[in-house]
Amino acid sequence: LFRSGEPDIETILAEIRAMEEDEKAVSEMAVEKIYPRSSALFVANPAKEGEFFVHGGECYDGQKTSVYRDLMRLRVEKKEWAVIKMPNSPPPRSGHHGVAYKEFIYLFGGEFTSPTGMQFYHYHDTWRLDTKEMAWENVTCKRGPQARSGHRMVVWKQYIYTFGGFYDN
């Protein structure tokens, strides 16, 4: 147990991963609104004009921090939100960033904050969302930036650049 009485961050993340193994198929559900959140990824759908995706983020309700792993789609012209659930999604995170390239969205890094806000885990992983097939893939990179959150990413030609950010231990 951590000083605050909550399990250590690795145990919390392992429990979340175990619950997520139940996701077997892609499902989409229309919603009236999305949960309030900060530090989420917001990116245009590169495969369909007028659509945007929101992934992850966090919310502090005055007592505990909730970190999300959900993927939502906003269809601007229809003014509708949908939550999309799918297998092999990235773990919950906030402070991550991503870019659209061809029909894919790439995201890197971010952090998971424990419910008490006393523990942090910074990700060093890269994920790719195929927006045509609606499937996530954990991408293994030969080299890459160190674990971080709060960074920014841009695409130039066929390269993705990551800059800034921080690592809070």
Side-chain angles (χ1 to χ4, degrees), residues 27-157:
S27 66
E28 186 169 335
M29 182 177 70
V31 293
E32 292 292 317
K33 60 181 181 175
I34 64 172
Y35 295 120
R37 64 191 68 216
S38 64
S39 304
L41 172 65
F42 183 83
V43 65
N45 183 348
K48 191 160 186 183
E49 189 174 326
E51 287 189 359
F52 294 87
F53 288 107
V54 174
H55 177 267
E58 69 181 29
C59 181
Y60 179 69
D61 68 5
Q63 295 185 15
K64 75 173 192 163
T65 301
S66 297
V67 183
Y68 305 112
R69 70 181 270 268
D70 50 5
L71 177 70
M72 290 157 294
R73 178 184 3 231
L74 170 62
R75 291 188 168 116
V76 177
E77 288 183 15
K78 294 182 178 181
K79 298 178 184 173
E80 72 181 21
W81 283 100
V83 175
I84 304 167
K85 294 188 178 190
M86 61 186 75
N88 194 39
S89 296
R93 65 188 65 212
S94 65
H96 53 307
H97 207 264
V99 294
Y101 178 69
K102 297 187 178 179
E103 72 269 16
F104 302 104
I105 294 173
Y106 291 85
L107 74 82
F108 172 77
E111 70 182 37
F112 177 81
T113 305
S114 69
T116 63
M118 299 294 292
Q119 300 178 74
F120 303 92
Y121 179 87
H122 285 262
Y123 292 104
H124 179 256
D125 54 357
T126 303
W127 289 82
R128 180 173 78 175
L129 174 64
D130 183 326
T131 60
K132 289 184 178 178
E133 299 295 323
M134 291 310 295
W136 283 107
E137 176 186 5
N138 190 342
V139 179
T140 302
C141 300
K142 292 180 184 177
R143 295 185 307 252
Q146 296 174 329
R148 68 187 66 204
S149 62
H151 53 286
R152 296 295 174 255
M153 297 169 69
V154 296
V155 173
W156 182 69
K157 296 186 178 182

Side-chain angles (χ1 to χ4, degrees), residues 1-12 114 116-120 169:
L1 286 178
F2 188 69
R3 295 187 307 254
S4 67
E6 70 183 359
D8 68 83
I9 197 95
E10 295 291 341
T11 302
I12 295 169
S114 69
T116 63
M118 299 294 292
Q119 300 178 74
F120 303 92
N169 59 5

